[in-house]
Amino acid sequence: MLLHYRLLLGAALLCAGFAAGAVTLLPARDFARHPPISNPVLSPDGRHIAVALKTDDGKSDAAKHEIAIMEVPGLKVTARLGFAPHTMAGRMLWVGPNRLLVSEARESGSLDAPSLIGELVALDADGKNQRVIYSFLDRGKSVRSQMNILAMPAAYPELAGLPQPKNGHVFLSFSILPENRNGQSYDAMRTELYDVDTVTGKPSKVTQIDIGDMNFLVHKGQALYAYGMDENLDPIVYARDAKDAWVKLDPARFGKVFVPLAVAPDGHALYAAYSENGGPTQFVQTDLQGNHRKVLGANAFGSFDELMWGPETAHAPFGVGFTDVFEGARPAVTYLDDSRWAQIHKQLMRQFPQFFIDFAGMSLDGAKILVHAYSGRDPGTYALLDSGSMQLTPLFQSAPWIKGEQIGERRPIRFKNRDGMELAGFLTLPLGVAAKNLPLVLIPHGGPIGPSDSWTYDPDAAFLANRGYAVLQVNYRGSGGRGMLFERSGYGQFATGMQTDLLDGVHWAIAQGYADRNRIGVYGGSFGGYSALMQPILAPDLYKAAIDYVGVYDWTIEFDRADTKRSRGGRNYWAQAIGTREQARAISPVAMIEKFNVPVLIVHGGADPRVPIQNAEALRGKLEKSGKQYDWLVFPKEGHGFYTEDHREALYAKMETFFAAYLRGSVRVLDLKPPAPDARRSD
C-alpha cells in the first residue's frame, strides 16, 4: 500500500500549477475517504520517518490503524506497530536518533479530535526494544503494568516535551483527579511532571503544582514555567522563585496572555506568545524571567499561529504566520531573519506559488527537511529535501485521488459586518462556470468559541463546489485566531451576534454578485448544526433549505447530558457563554420552532457524547407534530460526526439530492422535486 501511494513525479514536487480544470463530477466517495497515510515525523538523523496508517477499507464500524517506520527516501518499511480497533497514534515523537515514542488515542466522530487513552509505547526504528512506557488501561491488571508504570500516578499522561539534545528521555505530565469522584468529575487537583527514560522505563519526578491541567516549559531538566487556564478559563502562568516555589505572574505586568514557548539558543532568552489586553497574540522574546519584552512578530488582525523553526542545533525560529492574514491568495509569512533556512523556505515558496510550504520536520543538523506543500484545493504532498544539494525527493500524497485542478478555488475573503467589525472567511467556487449568481451554501464552523476555518482543503466545501455551489465560510465573532477578546465577544451571542455575522456574510456574497439570493442553503455540524437551524429562523425569506449535522436543538439537553458538564471549567463555560438554564432554553431552536419553515435534513450519530441524539429526536418530534418537512439520516454507532467512510459517503449522497431539490445546484439531479408531504421521514 505504501508504494501504491508514493508519488512518481521525478525531480518535481508538484505539477506546475492549477490550470483551468475540466469540470468533472467526482465520486462522493473521493470526498468521504480518509487519508491512508498521515502525520509523518522525521527522525533526528534524517534516515527514517514514522507515519500513521489507516489499514481498513472504510466499510466497517471497527476502523483499524497502525504506524509504520520507513527508511527515506526509499520508503522501505523497517517496523510496524498495530492498534486495537478504533485506536490510533495520537502523537508520535522521536525521542532520540533511533527511538520513537507513540501516544495512543481513540477515534470518535469526525468533528472531535481523537482522545488520548493513556497508553505510551516506545520502540527503535527497526522495531526492536519495544517497551510499554505507561498503560492506564492495564495499570495493575497484567504483566504490562511494570514497576516503572506503578511509580507514576494513575492518570492520563501528556507529552510535555523533550530534553535538548534528545537523549531517549521524555517529559510526561499527569493531571491527578480526586480519588472519590464517582466517575463523574473531570476536575484535576494537581499536575505532576516526570522525566522518563524510554529505554529502561525508569521515571524521575521533576516537579508538581497544585493546579490541574497545567503545561510546563522545561529547560535543562528544570520546569521554569507552568501555564494553563483557571476555573473561569482565564490564562494563568506560574514561575519558579528563588526558593523553588511556584509564584503566579501578575497579568497587569505580563499581559492578559503570556504563554512561554521555548528557550532561545543562547539559554538566556525566552520565546513567548503575548497579548497585553487580549487582542491578537504577538510573538515576543523576553529574558528568562519574562522581562525586557521585544516583539518579533505581530499583526493587528490575526494572532500568530505558526512558527517556522530551523534545526534543533540552532533551535531558533526563522518565520511566523498569522491567522487569516494573506499575501495574495495564500497565507503570508513574516520572516524573522535572513538565515539559510529562511532563504530555503523563500525559494520553495517562489517555486510553488499556489501552495503553502511547511517544514514538517528537520534533521538535527538541518541536512534533511521534511517538506509539506498544501493548498485550499490540495490536501498536500510530502517530500524530502536535501538542503545541501537542494534536491527534492517526493514521498507521498495525503489523498492521491484528489487532483487540485479538479477542485474549486478556495478564496480568502474579508468583509465588514453590520457593526463595522471586519471579519474573515473563505469562498469556495465551482469550476467551469462564471462566479456570478450561483446557488450558495453557507457552512458555519463548529465550536463555537475557539475553532475557525482555515486555508486548507475542506472536503465539505470541495464536494459542494464540485456539485455547482458556491460555499461560504465565515470566521464569526468567537472564532479562534484573533485573540482572547475576539473569542469572548462571542459570549452571550450564540443566537444573536454570531448569527448576524453569518447573515452579513451571505448578504456580502449576494452584494458581490457571487450568490443568487433565491438559491441559498445552510449546512453545518455541531454548533454549525445549531446555526443551520437558527439561520432560517432569523432570516425566513433568505434560506431555501437546511442540513442540521449533529447540531444542538435544545441547549438544556447539553446542560443535562453532554460530557462538558463533568468539569468545573465546562460548567463555567456554559455559564459565561450561554448563561442560565432559562437563557439556554430561550436561545434554543425548540423555543422558536414555529418560525422554522424550510425543509431540513437531520443528520446525527446515535452514540454522540457531545451533542446527544436526544437533540435530533426532539427536533424530529416537533417537526412531525407541526407537519413540517424534514428528512432523516442517523447511524446508531456513530459519534460526534460520522467517521466510517461508508457513512460519510451516504451523507454526501443525501446532501447532494437534498440541496439539488431546493437549490438546483447539481447537474446530475436538476429535475428532482421536493419530497411529498407523506414522504417526510426516511429511516
PDB file of all heavy atoms in Angstrom, residues 58-73:
ATOM      1  N   GLY A  58     -12.620   1.076   5.217  1.00  0.00           N
ATOM      2  CA  GLY A  58     -13.602   2.124   5.436  1.00  0.00           C
ATOM      3  C   GLY A  58     -15.036   1.642   5.465  1.00  0.00           C
ATOM      4  O   GLY A  58     -15.960   2.441   5.609  1.00  0.00           O
ATOM      5  N   LYS A  59     -15.257   0.339   5.338  1.00  0.00           N
ATOM      6  CA  LYS A  59     -16.619  -0.181   5.287  1.00  0.00           C
ATOM      7  C   LYS A  59     -17.099  -0.737   6.622  1.00  0.00           C
ATOM      8  O   LYS A  59     -18.205  -1.223   6.735  1.00  0.00           O
ATOM      9  CB  LYS A  59     -16.720  -1.281   4.217  1.00  0.00           C
ATOM     10  CG  LYS A  59     -16.428  -0.794   2.807  1.00  0.00           C
ATOM     11  CD  LYS A  59     -16.547  -1.925   1.801  1.00  0.00           C
ATOM     12  CE  LYS A  59     -16.240  -1.451   0.393  1.00  0.00           C
ATOM     13  NZ  LYS A  59     -17.205  -0.442  -0.063  1.00  0.00           N
ATOM     14  N   SER A  60     -16.247  -0.668   7.621  1.00  0.00           N
ATOM     15  CA  SER A  60     -16.581  -1.279   8.907  1.00  0.00           C
ATOM     16  C   SER A  60     -16.641  -0.232   9.997  1.00  0.00           C
ATOM     17  O   SER A  60     -15.980   0.799   9.929  1.00  0.00           O
ATOM     18  CB  SER A  60     -15.533  -2.339   9.272  1.00  0.00           C
ATOM     19  OG  SER A  60     -15.686  -2.769  10.597  1.00  0.00           O
ATOM     20  N   ASP A  61     -17.470  -0.497  11.007  1.00  0.00           N
ATOM     21  CA  ASP A  61     -17.502   0.374  12.173  1.00  0.00           C
ATOM     22  C   ASP A  61     -16.220   0.249  12.991  1.00  0.00           C
ATOM     23  O   ASP A  61     -15.905   1.122  13.785  1.00  0.00           O
ATOM     24  CB  ASP A  61     -18.698   0.024  13.074  1.00  0.00           C
ATOM     25  CG  ASP A  61     -20.016   0.454  12.449  1.00  0.00           C
ATOM     26  OD1 ASP A  61     -20.012   1.466  11.723  1.00  0.00           O
ATOM     27  OD2 ASP A  61     -21.020  -0.229  12.672  1.00  0.00           O
ATOM     28  N   ALA A  62     -15.493  -0.862  12.812  1.00  0.00           N
ATOM     29  CA  ALA A  62     -14.265  -1.095  13.573  1.00  0.00           C
ATOM     30  C   ALA A  62     -13.052  -0.683  12.747  1.00  0.00           C
ATOM     31  O   ALA A  62     -12.352  -1.513  12.170  1.00  0.00           O
ATOM     32  CB  ALA A  62     -14.161  -2.563  13.988  1.00  0.00           C
ATOM     33  N   ALA A  63     -12.808   0.608  12.633  1.00  0.00           N
ATOM     34  CA  ALA A  63     -11.681   1.110  11.852  1.00  0.00           C
ATOM     35  C   ALA A  63     -10.373   0.639  12.474  1.00  0.00           C
ATOM     36  O   ALA A  63     -10.235   0.561  13.692  1.00  0.00           O
ATOM     37  CB  ALA A  63     -11.729   2.631  11.794  1.00  0.00           C
ATOM     38  N   LYS A  64      -9.396   0.351  11.613  1.00  0.00           N
ATOM     39  CA  LYS A  64      -8.119  -0.180  12.078  1.00  0.00           C
ATOM     40  C   LYS A  64      -6.980   0.733  11.642  1.00  0.00           C
ATOM     41  O   LYS A  64      -6.978   1.269  10.533  1.00  0.00           O
ATOM     42  CB  LYS A  64      -7.908  -1.589  11.526  1.00  0.00           C
ATOM     43  CG  LYS A  64      -8.930  -2.604  12.042  1.00  0.00           C
ATOM     44  CD  LYS A  64      -8.700  -3.978  11.441  1.00  0.00           C
ATOM     45  CE  LYS A  64      -9.743  -4.975  11.935  1.00  0.00           C
ATOM     46  NZ  LYS A  64      -9.562  -6.316  11.324  1.00  0.00           N
ATOM     47  N   HIS A  65      -6.000   0.877  12.545  1.00  0.00           N
ATOM     48  CA  HIS A  65      -4.880   1.770  12.298  1.00  0.00           C
ATOM     49  C   HIS A  65      -3.588   1.104  12.765  1.00  0.00           C
ATOM     50  O   HIS A  65      -3.598   0.194  13.590  1.00  0.00           O
ATOM     51  CB  HIS A  65      -5.063   3.090  13.061  1.00  0.00           C
ATOM     52  CG  HIS A  65      -6.338   3.800  12.739  1.00  0.00           C
ATOM     53  ND1 HIS A  65      -6.431   4.770  11.776  1.00  0.00           N
ATOM     54  CD2 HIS A  65      -7.588   3.683  13.267  1.00  0.00           C
ATOM     55  CE1 HIS A  65      -7.675   5.218  11.709  1.00  0.00           C
ATOM     56  NE2 HIS A  65      -8.387   4.576  12.600  1.00  0.00           N
ATOM     57  N   GLU A  66      -2.475   1.589  12.217  1.00  0.00           N
ATOM     58  CA  GLU A  66      -1.169   1.169  12.690  1.00  0.00           C
ATOM     59  C   GLU A  66      -0.188   2.286  12.376  1.00  0.00           C
ATOM     60  O   GLU A  66      -0.539   3.294  11.749  1.00  0.00           O
ATOM     61  CB  GLU A  66      -0.729  -0.138  12.028  1.00  0.00           C
ATOM     62  CG  GLU A  66      -0.537  -0.048  10.528  1.00  0.00           C
ATOM     63  CD  GLU A  66      -0.117  -1.389   9.925  1.00  0.00           C
ATOM     64  OE1 GLU A  66      -0.548  -2.443  10.428  1.00  0.00           O
ATOM     65  OE2 GLU A  66       0.661  -1.354   8.941  1.00  0.00           O
ATOM     66  N   ILE A  67       1.046   2.136  12.823  1.00  0.00           N
ATOM     67  CA  ILE A  67       2.102   3.038  12.397  1.00  0.00           C
ATOM     68  C   ILE A  67       3.147   2.217  11.655  1.00  0.00           C
ATOM     69  O   ILE A  67       3.281   1.004  11.870  1.00  0.00           O
ATOM     70  CB  ILE A  67       2.762   3.803  13.565  1.00  0.00           C
ATOM     71  CG1 ILE A  67       3.516   2.844  14.491  1.00  0.00           C
ATOM     72  CG2 ILE A  67       1.751   4.624  14.327  1.00  0.00           C
ATOM     73  CD1 ILE A  67       4.452   3.556  15.455  1.00  0.00           C
ATOM     74  N   ALA A  68       3.848   2.890  10.775  1.00  0.00           N
ATOM     75  CA  ALA A  68       4.960   2.264  10.067  1.00  0.00           C
ATOM     76  C   ALA A  68       6.166   3.178  10.176  1.00  0.00           C
ATOM     77  O   ALA A  68       6.034   4.406  10.087  1.00  0.00           O
ATOM     78  CB  ALA A  68       4.600   2.022   8.607  1.00  0.00           C
ATOM     79  N   ILE A  69       7.328   2.581  10.392  1.00  0.00           N
ATOM     80  CA  ILE A  69       8.590   3.312  10.354  1.00  0.00           C
ATOM     81  C   ILE A  69       9.290   2.911   9.064  1.00  0.00           C
ATOM     82  O   ILE A  69       9.398   1.719   8.747  1.00  0.00           O
ATOM     83  CB  ILE A  69       9.467   2.990  11.577  1.00  0.00           C
ATOM     84  CG1 ILE A  69       8.725   3.363  12.871  1.00  0.00           C
ATOM     85  CG2 ILE A  69      10.793   3.739  11.496  1.00  0.00           C
ATOM     86  CD1 ILE A  69       9.474   2.989  14.135  1.00  0.00           C
ATOM     87  N   MET A  70       9.721   3.913   8.304  1.00  0.00           N
ATOM     88  CA  MET A  70      10.282   3.651   6.981  1.00  0.00           C
ATOM     89  C   MET A  70      11.600   4.387   6.801  1.00  0.00           C
ATOM     90  O   MET A  70      11.783   5.480   7.342  1.00  0.00           O
ATOM     91  CB  MET A  70       9.302   4.103   5.895  1.00  0.00           C
ATOM     92  CG  MET A  70       7.963   3.390   5.944  1.00  0.00           C
ATOM     93  SD  MET A  70       6.806   4.062   4.717  1.00  0.00           S
ATOM     94  CE  MET A  70       6.429   5.638   5.453  1.00  0.00           C
ATOM     95  N   GLU A  71      12.475   3.776   6.025  1.00  0.00           N
ATOM     96  CA  GLU A  71      13.679   4.472   5.603  1.00  0.00           C
ATOM     97  C   GLU A  71      13.299   5.517   4.557  1.00  0.00           C
ATOM     98  O   GLU A  71      12.361   5.321   3.779  1.00  0.00           O
ATOM     99  CB  GLU A  71      14.680   3.485   4.994  1.00  0.00           C
ATOM    100  CG  GLU A  71      15.234   2.477   5.985  1.00  0.00           C
ATOM    101  CD  GLU A  71      16.172   1.473   5.315  1.00  0.00           C
ATOM    102  OE1 GLU A  71      16.172   1.418   4.063  1.00  0.00           O
ATOM    103  OE2 GLU A  71      16.878   0.751   6.039  1.00  0.00           O
ATOM    104  N   VAL A  72      14.011   6.622   4.535  1.00  0.00           N
ATOM    105  CA  VAL A  72      13.787   7.622   3.496  1.00  0.00           C
ATOM    106  C   VAL A  72      15.088   7.848   2.729  1.00  0.00           C
ATOM    107  O   VAL A  72      16.184   7.713   3.300  1.00  0.00           O
ATOM    108  CB  VAL A  72      13.281   8.950   4.103  1.00  0.00           C
ATOM    109  CG1 VAL A  72      11.859   8.815   4.583  1.00  0.00           C
ATOM    110  CG2 VAL A  72      14.197   9.452   5.214  1.00  0.00           C
ATOM    111  N   PRO A  73      14.940   8.101   1.424  1.00  0.00           N
ATOM    112  CA  PRO A  73      13.689   8.354   0.719  1.00  0.00           C
ATOM    113  C   PRO A  73      13.034   7.120   0.113  1.00  0.00           C
ATOM    114  O   PRO A  73      12.003   7.228  -0.538  1.00  0.00           O
ATOM    115  CB  PRO A  73      14.128   9.307  -0.391  1.00  0.00           C
ATOM    116  CG  PRO A  73      15.504   8.848  -0.737  1.00  0.00           C
ATOM    117  CD  PRO A  73      16.122   8.410   0.568  1.00  0.00           C
TER     118      PRO A  73
END
